[in-house]
Amino acid sequence: MLTRQNLLGGLPELHTERVKLRPLGVEDYQPLRALLSLPDVIRYMNRNRRPPVERAGRLFRQIQSGSATLDSIHYAIIPRDMERMAGLVSFQHWHEKKGEAQIGYLLDPACWGRGFAAEAAAGLLSFGMESLGLRRIEGRCHERNDASAKVLLKNGFRYIRRIGMPGLNDDRQGVLVYELTSEVYFATDVLHKKN
């Protein structure tokens, strides 16, 4: 099992059928900034009353600081047919002793609808459960972000609760919380391998 100490020397590259997950590097910061400047990408992230540009800047700084300390693990999503960064998939709030983390992902709108986010999430989930020994992974998405919820559900997550956003007039401004436990992951993985 890999520990934070083991990973300080560098994260392994991960591969799925159509996607390469490369540890996020300095060369990815400019493309990441460009992705975070797209209104469709930032729309449902870090929801608060701040303007999108401020929210994007805050998220970018969180990604940089989390990568440096390995409180978060970030991978660039590189579709094999593109060979360029198309998005990001991450474990945030990694609590090594509890075996818990929160998954997050973002993808260039030009790549939406092709299954890349679900496949990248599946690759990271496999790494988390099998190599990091995670026992529980949480996923959160804005209530209106149906595509993000589908990524979680496709990967075996189950809905557990809704967090309201106080002070907002629109009742569909909440955050939906999902979870995937190691028991469910490994039971599902065994079923997939048998079929």
Side-chain angles (χ1 to χ4, degrees), residues 30-105:
Q30 192 56 40
L32 181 59
R33 273 191 191 278
L35 282 175
L36 291 173
S37 72
L38 299 173
D40 285 341
V41 171
I42 195 68
R43 174 180 297 142
Y44 298 121
M45 292 183 195
N46 282 351
R47 296 294 295 172
N48 57 36
R49 296 181 190 278
R50 292 186 180 142
V53 172
E54 280 185 42
R55 292 196 326 259
R58 180 174 177 235
L59 181 59
F60 182 79
R61 289 187 298 278
Q62 288 171 339
I63 289 168
Q64 281 185 305
S65 66
S67 292
T69 61
L70 279 182
D71 289 333
S72 300
I73 295 173
H74 301 284
Y75 278 93
I77 300 171
I78 318 277
R80 292 186 193 270
D81 64 347
M82 295 174 63
E83 291 303 318
R84 70 166 176 83
M85 180 182 178
L88 181 75
V89 63
S90 309
F91 281 138
Q92 300 120 28
H93 313 293
W94 178 27
H95 195 292
E96 189 175 3
K97 289 182 181 167
K98 285 185 179 180
E100 295 182 354
Q102 186 178 93
I103 193 168
Y105 37 86

Side-chain angles (χ1 to χ4, degrees), residues 8 12 24-25 42 51 57 90 92 96 108 123 153 161 173 181-182 184:
L8 287 174
L24 191 67
I42 195 68
S90 309
Q92 300 120 28
E96 189 175 3
D108 185 330
L153 293 170
R161 72 180 183 279
Q173 291 291 323
T181 63
S182 56
V184 169

Side-chain angles (χ1 to χ4, degrees), residues 125-143:
L125 291 169
S126 176
F127 176 65
M129 294 292 189
E130 297 172 22
S131 298
L132 300 180
L134 294 177
R135 292 184 291 280
R136 181 179 178 276
I137 300 171
E138 187 174 280
R140 295 180 175 201
C141 65
H142 187 278
E143 196 165 5

Side-chain angles (χ1 to χ4, degrees), residues 2 14 27 34 90 136 183 188 194:
L2 294 173
L14 308 174
E27 69 276 11
S90 309
R136 181 179 178 276
E183 293 83 10
T188 304
K194 285 183 180 177

